[in-house]
Amino acid sequence: MGLLDNVERGIERMVRGAFSSSSGRVEPLELAITLRRELDEKSMTLAQGRTLAPNVFTARLSDEDFARAQEWGAPLAEELCDVVIKHARSQSYTLQGPVRVSFTRDSSLKPGSLEVDSATEKSHSGGPRQAQPPAPRQSPTRMQPVLDIDGQRYSLNAASVVLGRSSEADILVDDTGVSRRHLEIRTEGGTVRAIDLGSTNGSYVNGQKVQGETILTDGSTIAMGRTRITFRLLPIRSGGR
């Protein structure tokens, strides 16, 4: 991939006071490199040679590293968004929504340790990036429904999400056994349902064919054509102390 580009060197100049260059601390350049690696590892080749890559990233940091990132705030997140956008363009990756980079505290991590979680979120609004500065320590309050498909995680942030082979679907499933508009995931009043949209080959939840609609619970498996999908409920942290 070559030496670090000018954007990453710009991060180093901007925030050299926020992160120490000594060992045992996460540095901005490490964040940039980790984000680029996450893009490459989680990218997925679709039809017509398109390669879909994640556009939403959460960097998990130790208490000490998170405190330094929190002091710097939005400028660091904005520069990291630029790193993601530039790398996606250089690799001809497709992003289905604005790039968002945020930080969270993970007390289980040691100083200098870094973990990045990524997801693909489709959006029809907003600009190319949405940087979020580090937020205070948070505690779980509610659950976020997500779909895990072939190693890629999709957050279900809308009340209705359609899966199918059509490029107009909210989540594109590149599988010839999947109909253009195959399955709808609908969230209402805290309940998540899988609704078959009259697909040719049918939809299955936990091995049972969906007749109309089926309620999804954490760990439910969905089968569409040759594609296997896992439905998960993950805790969302909010508030502070």
Side-chain angles (χ1 to χ4, degrees), residues 56-85:
V56 177
F57 304 85
T58 301
R60 292 188 283 118
L61 303 169
S62 69
D63 291 344
E64 292 85 348
D65 290 322
F66 179 82
R68 286 190 295 275
Q70 192 174 27
E71 289 176 2
W72 192 250
L76 174 58
E78 291 172 356
E79 289 296 325
L80 291 172
C81 283
D82 285 338
V83 169
V84 171
I85 293 168

PDB file of all heavy atoms in Angstrom, residues 56-85:
ATOM      1  N   VAL A  56     -19.348   3.222   8.332  1.00  0.00           N
ATOM      2  CA  VAL A  56     -19.528   3.655   9.719  1.00  0.00           C
ATOM      3  C   VAL A  56     -18.518   2.910  10.591  1.00  0.00           C
ATOM      4  O   VAL A  56     -18.439   1.678  10.549  1.00  0.00           O
ATOM      5  CB  VAL A  56     -20.962   3.379  10.204  1.00  0.00           C
ATOM      6  CG1 VAL A  56     -21.113   3.775  11.674  1.00  0.00           C
ATOM      7  CG2 VAL A  56     -21.971   4.146   9.357  1.00  0.00           C
ATOM      8  N   PHE A  57     -17.753   3.660  11.377  1.00  0.00           N
ATOM      9  CA  PHE A  57     -16.667   3.074  12.163  1.00  0.00           C
ATOM     10  C   PHE A  57     -16.734   3.568  13.612  1.00  0.00           C
ATOM     11  O   PHE A  57     -16.976   4.754  13.861  1.00  0.00           O
ATOM     12  CB  PHE A  57     -15.303   3.461  11.579  1.00  0.00           C
ATOM     13  CG  PHE A  57     -15.147   3.080  10.132  1.00  0.00           C
ATOM     14  CD1 PHE A  57     -15.604   3.926   9.129  1.00  0.00           C
ATOM     15  CD2 PHE A  57     -14.560   1.881   9.771  1.00  0.00           C
ATOM     16  CE1 PHE A  57     -15.474   3.588   7.798  1.00  0.00           C
ATOM     17  CE2 PHE A  57     -14.430   1.532   8.432  1.00  0.00           C
ATOM     18  CZ  PHE A  57     -14.890   2.379   7.450  1.00  0.00           C
ATOM     19  N   THR A  58     -16.504   2.642  14.536  1.00  0.00           N
ATOM     20  CA  THR A  58     -16.394   2.990  15.954  1.00  0.00           C
ATOM     21  C   THR A  58     -15.060   2.467  16.472  1.00  0.00           C
ATOM     22  O   THR A  58     -14.801   1.257  16.426  1.00  0.00           O
ATOM     23  CB  THR A  58     -17.536   2.375  16.775  1.00  0.00           C
ATOM     24  OG1 THR A  58     -18.790   2.849  16.279  1.00  0.00           O
ATOM     25  CG2 THR A  58     -17.416   2.773  18.237  1.00  0.00           C
ATOM     26  N   ALA A  59     -14.216   3.386  16.926  1.00  0.00           N
ATOM     27  CA  ALA A  59     -12.917   3.010  17.484  1.00  0.00           C
ATOM     28  C   ALA A  59     -13.066   2.842  18.992  1.00  0.00           C
ATOM     29  O   ALA A  59     -13.493   3.763  19.683  1.00  0.00           O
ATOM     30  CB  ALA A  59     -11.865   4.065  17.164  1.00  0.00           C
ATOM     31  N   ARG A  60     -12.726   1.654  19.490  1.00  0.00           N
ATOM     32  CA  ARG A  60     -12.783   1.383  20.920  1.00  0.00           C
ATOM     33  C   ARG A  60     -11.388   1.566  21.512  1.00  0.00           C
ATOM     34  O   ARG A  60     -10.422   0.964  21.035  1.00  0.00           O
ATOM     35  CB  ARG A  60     -13.323  -0.021  21.181  1.00  0.00           C
ATOM     36  CG  ARG A  60     -14.793  -0.157  20.813  1.00  0.00           C
ATOM     37  CD  ARG A  60     -15.389  -1.489  21.236  1.00  0.00           C
ATOM     38  NE  ARG A  60     -15.013  -2.570  20.346  1.00  0.00           N
ATOM     39  CZ  ARG A  60     -14.321  -3.626  20.689  1.00  0.00           C
ATOM     40  NH1 ARG A  60     -13.862  -3.744  21.928  1.00  0.00           N
ATOM     41  NH2 ARG A  60     -14.047  -4.571  19.808  1.00  0.00           N
ATOM     42  N   LEU A  61     -11.308   2.395  22.564  1.00  0.00           N
ATOM     43  CA  LEU A  61     -10.033   2.764  23.156  1.00  0.00           C
ATOM     44  C   LEU A  61     -10.046   2.493  24.657  1.00  0.00           C
ATOM     45  O   LEU A  61     -11.104   2.484  25.290  1.00  0.00           O
ATOM     46  CB  LEU A  61      -9.746   4.251  22.921  1.00  0.00           C
ATOM     47  CG  LEU A  61      -9.721   4.728  21.462  1.00  0.00           C
ATOM     48  CD1 LEU A  61      -9.701   6.251  21.419  1.00  0.00           C
ATOM     49  CD2 LEU A  61      -8.513   4.156  20.736  1.00  0.00           C
ATOM     50  N   SER A  62      -8.847   2.319  25.220  1.00  0.00           N
ATOM     51  CA  SER A  62      -8.728   2.169  26.670  1.00  0.00           C
ATOM     52  C   SER A  62      -9.111   3.473  27.360  1.00  0.00           C
ATOM     53  O   SER A  62      -9.256   4.524  26.717  1.00  0.00           O
ATOM     54  CB  SER A  62      -7.283   1.801  27.035  1.00  0.00           C
ATOM     55  OG  SER A  62      -6.420   2.912  26.790  1.00  0.00           O
ATOM     56  N   ASP A  63      -9.282   3.434  28.665  1.00  0.00           N
ATOM     57  CA  ASP A  63      -9.650   4.644  29.415  1.00  0.00           C
ATOM     58  C   ASP A  63      -8.665   5.777  29.159  1.00  0.00           C
ATOM     59  O   ASP A  63      -9.061   6.925  28.915  1.00  0.00           O
ATOM     60  CB  ASP A  63      -9.695   4.338  30.920  1.00  0.00           C
ATOM     61  CG  ASP A  63     -10.844   3.418  31.289  1.00  0.00           C
ATOM     62  OD1 ASP A  63     -11.761   3.260  30.458  1.00  0.00           O
ATOM     63  OD2 ASP A  63     -10.823   2.853  32.398  1.00  0.00           O
ATOM     64  N   GLU A  64      -7.356   5.466  29.196  1.00  0.00           N
ATOM     65  CA  GLU A  64      -6.337   6.506  29.041  1.00  0.00           C
ATOM     66  C   GLU A  64      -6.347   7.074  27.615  1.00  0.00           C
ATOM     67  O   GLU A  64      -6.304   8.298  27.416  1.00  0.00           O
ATOM     68  CB  GLU A  64      -4.951   5.937  29.374  1.00  0.00           C
ATOM     69  CG  GLU A  64      -4.761   5.586  30.850  1.00  0.00           C
ATOM     70  CD  GLU A  64      -5.280   4.188  31.190  1.00  0.00           C
ATOM     71  OE1 GLU A  64      -5.986   3.585  30.352  1.00  0.00           O
ATOM     72  OE2 GLU A  64      -4.980   3.721  32.304  1.00  0.00           O
ATOM     73  N   ASP A  65      -6.390   6.196  26.608  1.00  0.00           N
ATOM     74  CA  ASP A  65      -6.370   6.669  25.222  1.00  0.00           C
ATOM     75  C   ASP A  65      -7.659   7.418  24.880  1.00  0.00           C
ATOM     76  O   ASP A  65      -7.641   8.395  24.131  1.00  0.00           O
ATOM     77  CB  ASP A  65      -6.180   5.484  24.266  1.00  0.00           C
ATOM     78  CG  ASP A  65      -4.776   4.897  24.347  1.00  0.00           C
ATOM     79  OD1 ASP A  65      -3.825   5.674  24.501  1.00  0.00           O
ATOM     80  OD2 ASP A  65      -4.643   3.661  24.258  1.00  0.00           O
ATOM     81  N   PHE A  66      -8.788   6.952  25.436  1.00  0.00           N
ATOM     82  CA  PHE A  66     -10.056   7.631  25.178  1.00  0.00           C
ATOM     83  C   PHE A  66     -10.039   9.054  25.744  1.00  0.00           C
ATOM     84  O   PHE A  66     -10.537   9.991  25.117  1.00  0.00           O
ATOM     85  CB  PHE A  66     -11.212   6.844  25.792  1.00  0.00           C
ATOM     86  CG  PHE A  66     -12.553   7.490  25.604  1.00  0.00           C
ATOM     87  CD1 PHE A  66     -13.261   7.338  24.415  1.00  0.00           C
ATOM     88  CD2 PHE A  66     -13.108   8.267  26.605  1.00  0.00           C
ATOM     89  CE1 PHE A  66     -14.492   7.936  24.237  1.00  0.00           C
ATOM     90  CE2 PHE A  66     -14.337   8.877  26.438  1.00  0.00           C
ATOM     91  CZ  PHE A  66     -15.025   8.708  25.251  1.00  0.00           C
ATOM     92  N   ALA A  67      -9.434   9.226  26.927  1.00  0.00           N
ATOM     93  CA  ALA A  67      -9.378  10.562  27.533  1.00  0.00           C
ATOM     94  C   ALA A  67      -8.598  11.525  26.651  1.00  0.00           C
ATOM     95  O   ALA A  67      -8.984  12.691  26.491  1.00  0.00           O
ATOM     96  CB  ALA A  67      -8.726  10.471  28.922  1.00  0.00           C
ATOM     97  N   ARG A  68      -7.502  11.046  26.029  1.00  0.00           N
ATOM     98  CA  ARG A  68      -6.737  11.921  25.150  1.00  0.00           C
ATOM     99  C   ARG A  68      -7.519  12.232  23.879  1.00  0.00           C
ATOM    100  O   ARG A  68      -7.527  13.371  23.396  1.00  0.00           O
ATOM    101  CB  ARG A  68      -5.392  11.267  24.807  1.00  0.00           C
ATOM    102  CG  ARG A  68      -4.408  11.293  25.966  1.00  0.00           C
ATOM    103  CD  ARG A  68      -3.025  10.854  25.516  1.00  0.00           C
ATOM    104  NE  ARG A  68      -3.005   9.453  25.097  1.00  0.00           N
ATOM    105  CZ  ARG A  68      -2.857   8.440  25.940  1.00  0.00           C
ATOM    106  NH1 ARG A  68      -2.751   8.680  27.236  1.00  0.00           N
ATOM    107  NH2 ARG A  68      -2.830   7.202  25.500  1.00  0.00           N
ATOM    108  N   ALA A  69      -8.202  11.235  23.333  1.00  0.00           N
ATOM    109  CA  ALA A  69      -9.010  11.475  22.136  1.00  0.00           C
ATOM    110  C   ALA A  69     -10.147  12.448  22.439  1.00  0.00           C
ATOM    111  O   ALA A  69     -10.502  13.290  21.609  1.00  0.00           O
ATOM    112  CB  ALA A  69      -9.568  10.149  21.611  1.00  0.00           C
ATOM    113  N   GLN A  70     -10.717  12.349  23.631  1.00  0.00           N
ATOM    114  CA  GLN A  70     -11.822  13.224  24.015  1.00  0.00           C
ATOM    115  C   GLN A  70     -11.365  14.676  24.115  1.00  0.00           C
ATOM    116  O   GLN A  70     -12.106  15.596  23.772  1.00  0.00           O
ATOM    117  CB  GLN A  70     -12.407  12.753  25.344  1.00  0.00           C
ATOM    118  CG  GLN A  70     -13.735  13.397  25.709  1.00  0.00           C
ATOM    119  CD  GLN A  70     -14.332  12.777  26.954  1.00  0.00           C
ATOM    120  OE1 GLN A  70     -13.608  12.267  27.804  1.00  0.00           O
ATOM    121  NE2 GLN A  70     -15.645  12.812  27.057  1.00  0.00           N
ATOM    122  N   GLU A  71     -10.134  14.883  24.546  1.00  0.00           N
ATOM    123  CA  GLU A  71      -9.605  16.244  24.636  1.00  0.00           C
ATOM    124  C   GLU A  71      -9.498  16.883  23.253  1.00  0.00           C
ATOM    125  O   GLU A  71      -9.744  18.073  23.092  1.00  0.00           O
ATOM    126  CB  GLU A  71      -8.223  16.216  25.302  1.00  0.00           C
ATOM    127  CG  GLU A  71      -8.254  15.901  26.788  1.00  0.00           C
ATOM    128  CD  GLU A  71      -6.855  15.786  27.371  1.00  0.00           C
ATOM    129  OE1 GLU A  71      -5.883  16.002  26.600  1.00  0.00           O
ATOM    130  OE2 GLU A  71      -6.730  15.480  28.562  1.00  0.00           O
ATOM    131  N   TRP A  72      -9.143  16.092  22.247  1.00  0.00           N
ATOM    132  CA  TRP A  72      -8.991  16.655  20.905  1.00  0.00           C
ATOM    133  C   TRP A  72     -10.334  16.828  20.213  1.00  0.00           C
ATOM    134  O   TRP A  72     -10.557  17.811  19.508  1.00  0.00           O
ATOM    135  CB  TRP A  72      -8.058  15.777  20.071  1.00  0.00           C
ATOM    136  CG  TRP A  72      -7.670  16.475  18.800  1.00  0.00           C
ATOM    137  CD1 TRP A  72      -8.055  16.160  17.550  1.00  0.00           C
ATOM    138  CD2 TRP A  72      -6.851  17.629  18.684  1.00  0.00           C
ATOM    139  NE1 TRP A  72      -7.524  17.035  16.652  1.00  0.00           N
ATOM    140  CE2 TRP A  72      -6.778  17.961  17.321  1.00  0.00           C
ATOM    141  CE3 TRP A  72      -6.168  18.430  19.613  1.00  0.00           C
ATOM    142  CZ2 TRP A  72      -6.055  19.053  16.855  1.00  0.00           C
ATOM    143  CZ3 TRP A  72      -5.444  19.513  19.143  1.00  0.00           C
ATOM    144  CH2 TRP A  72      -5.393  19.807  17.782  1.00  0.00           C
ATOM    145  N   GLY A  73     -11.232  15.858  20.386  1.00  0.00           N
ATOM    146  CA  GLY A  73     -12.599  16.007  19.903  1.00  0.00           C
ATOM    147  C   GLY A  73     -12.790  15.850  18.407  1.00  0.00           C
ATOM    148  O   GLY A  73     -12.124  15.053  17.746  1.00  0.00           O
ATOM    149  N   ALA A  74     -13.699  16.674  17.844  1.00  0.00           N
ATOM    150  CA  ALA A  74     -14.159  16.520  16.463  1.00  0.00           C
ATOM    151  C   ALA A  74     -13.054  16.649  15.408  1.00  0.00           C
ATOM    152  O   ALA A  74     -13.113  15.936  14.393  1.00  0.00           O
ATOM    153  CB  ALA A  74     -15.269  17.521  16.167  1.00  0.00           C
ATOM    154  N   PRO A  75     -12.044  17.541  15.556  1.00  0.00           N
ATOM    155  CA  PRO A  75     -11.035  17.652  14.495  1.00  0.00           C
ATOM    156  C   PRO A  75     -10.355  16.322  14.160  1.00  0.00           C
ATOM    157  O   PRO A  75     -10.103  16.027  12.992  1.00  0.00           O
ATOM    158  CB  PRO A  75     -10.036  18.667  15.063  1.00  0.00           C
ATOM    159  CG  PRO A  75     -10.863  19.528  15.960  1.00  0.00           C
ATOM    160  CD  PRO A  75     -11.841  18.587  16.590  1.00  0.00           C
ATOM    161  N   LEU A  76     -10.068  15.511  15.178  1.00  0.00           N
ATOM    162  CA  LEU A  76      -9.444  14.218  14.915  1.00  0.00           C
ATOM    163  C   LEU A  76     -10.395  13.318  14.147  1.00  0.00           C
ATOM    164  O   LEU A  76     -10.015  12.685  13.149  1.00  0.00           O
ATOM    165  CB  LEU A  76      -9.036  13.554  16.231  1.00  0.00           C
ATOM    166  CG  LEU A  76      -8.488  12.125  16.124  1.00  0.00           C
ATOM    167  CD1 LEU A  76      -7.268  12.067  15.228  1.00  0.00           C
ATOM    168  CD2 LEU A  76      -8.178  11.564  17.504  1.00  0.00           C
ATOM    169  N   ALA A  77     -11.669  13.256  14.564  1.00  0.00           N
ATOM    170  CA  ALA A  77     -12.647  12.412  13.870  1.00  0.00           C
ATOM    171  C   ALA A  77     -12.836  12.865  12.431  1.00  0.00           C
ATOM    172  O   ALA A  77     -12.972  12.047  11.517  1.00  0.00           O
ATOM    173  CB  ALA A  77     -13.979  12.442  14.629  1.00  0.00           C
ATOM    174  N   GLU A  78     -12.842  14.182  12.197  1.00  0.00           N
ATOM    175  CA  GLU A  78     -13.020  14.702  10.841  1.00  0.00           C
ATOM    176  C   GLU A  78     -11.850  14.310   9.944  1.00  0.00           C
ATOM    177  O   GLU A  78     -12.041  13.939   8.770  1.00  0.00           O
ATOM    178  CB  GLU A  78     -13.175  16.224  10.882  1.00  0.00           C
ATOM    179  CG  GLU A  78     -14.492  16.669  11.507  1.00  0.00           C
ATOM    180  CD  GLU A  78     -14.559  18.163  11.717  1.00  0.00           C
ATOM    181  OE1 GLU A  78     -13.537  18.837  11.446  1.00  0.00           O
ATOM    182  OE2 GLU A  78     -15.607  18.665  12.143  1.00  0.00           O
ATOM    183  N   GLU A  79     -10.632  14.406  10.468  1.00  0.00           N
ATOM    184  CA  GLU A  79      -9.469  14.021   9.670  1.00  0.00           C
ATOM    185  C   GLU A  79      -9.496  12.527   9.352  1.00  0.00           C
ATOM    186  O   GLU A  79      -9.120  12.106   8.250  1.00  0.00           O
ATOM    187  CB  GLU A  79      -8.174  14.377  10.418  1.00  0.00           C
ATOM    188  CG  GLU A  79      -7.903  15.871  10.500  1.00  0.00           C
ATOM    189  CD  GLU A  79      -7.669  16.485   9.128  1.00  0.00           C
ATOM    190  OE1 GLU A  79      -7.085  15.809   8.258  1.00  0.00           O
ATOM    191  OE2 GLU A  79      -8.089  17.619   8.919  1.00  0.00           O
ATOM    192  N   LEU A  80      -9.958  11.715  10.317  1.00  0.00           N
ATOM    193  CA  LEU A  80     -10.041  10.280  10.063  1.00  0.00           C
ATOM    194  C   LEU A  80     -11.113   9.962   9.024  1.00  0.00           C
ATOM    195  O   LEU A  80     -10.966   9.025   8.232  1.00  0.00           O
ATOM    196  CB  LEU A  80     -10.316   9.541  11.378  1.00  0.00           C
ATOM    197  CG  LEU A  80      -9.155   9.560  12.379  1.00  0.00           C
ATOM    198  CD1 LEU A  80      -9.590   8.973  13.703  1.00  0.00           C
ATOM    199  CD2 LEU A  80      -7.936   8.804  11.838  1.00  0.00           C
ATOM    200  N   CYS A  81     -12.194  10.739   9.012  1.00  0.00           N
ATOM    201  CA  CYS A  81     -13.192  10.582   7.941  1.00  0.00           C
ATOM    202  C   CYS A  81     -12.548  10.825   6.581  1.00  0.00           C
ATOM    203  O   CYS A  81     -12.825  10.109   5.601  1.00  0.00           O
ATOM    204  CB  CYS A  81     -14.351  11.568   8.145  1.00  0.00           C
ATOM    205  SG  CYS A  81     -15.529  11.090   9.422  1.00  0.00           S
ATOM    206  N   ASP A  82     -11.696  11.845   6.498  1.00  0.00           N
ATOM    207  CA  ASP A  82     -11.001  12.130   5.246  1.00  0.00           C
ATOM    208  C   ASP A  82     -10.119  10.954   4.821  1.00  0.00           C
ATOM    209  O   ASP A  82     -10.008  10.640   3.628  1.00  0.00           O
ATOM    210  CB  ASP A  82     -10.150  13.391   5.384  1.00  0.00           C
ATOM    211  CG  ASP A  82     -10.992  14.663   5.371  1.00  0.00           C
ATOM    212  OD1 ASP A  82     -12.123  14.606   4.848  1.00  0.00           O
ATOM    213  OD2 ASP A  82     -10.516  15.688   5.877  1.00  0.00           O
ATOM    214  N   VAL A  83      -9.464  10.322   5.801  1.00  0.00           N
ATOM    215  CA  VAL A  83      -8.627   9.163   5.492  1.00  0.00           C
ATOM    216  C   VAL A  83      -9.476   8.056   4.864  1.00  0.00           C
ATOM    217  O   VAL A  83      -9.096   7.453   3.852  1.00  0.00           O
ATOM    218  CB  VAL A  83      -7.928   8.645   6.766  1.00  0.00           C
ATOM    219  CG1 VAL A  83      -7.280   7.283   6.508  1.00  0.00           C
ATOM    220  CG2 VAL A  83      -6.868   9.640   7.227  1.00  0.00           C
ATOM    221  N   VAL A  84     -10.637   7.785   5.464  1.00  0.00           N
ATOM    222  CA  VAL A  84     -11.526   6.732   4.953  1.00  0.00           C
ATOM    223  C   VAL A  84     -11.989   7.065   3.542  1.00  0.00           C
ATOM    224  O   VAL A  84     -11.949   6.224   2.635  1.00  0.00           O
ATOM    225  CB  VAL A  84     -12.735   6.556   5.892  1.00  0.00           C
ATOM    226  CG1 VAL A  84     -13.772   5.631   5.258  1.00  0.00           C
ATOM    227  CG2 VAL A  84     -12.287   6.005   7.239  1.00  0.00           C
ATOM    228  N   ILE A  85     -12.452   8.309   3.323  1.00  0.00           N
ATOM    229  CA  ILE A  85     -12.974   8.707   2.019  1.00  0.00           C
ATOM    230  C   ILE A  85     -11.885   8.606   0.950  1.00  0.00           C
ATOM    231  O   ILE A  85     -12.112   8.082  -0.150  1.00  0.00           O
ATOM    232  CB  ILE A  85     -13.541  10.137   2.091  1.00  0.00           C
ATOM    233  CG1 ILE A  85     -14.782  10.164   2.980  1.00  0.00           C
ATOM    234  CG2 ILE A  85     -13.892  10.658   0.694  1.00  0.00           C
ATOM    235  CD1 ILE A  85     -15.252  11.561   3.340  1.00  0.00           C
TER     236      ILE A  85
END
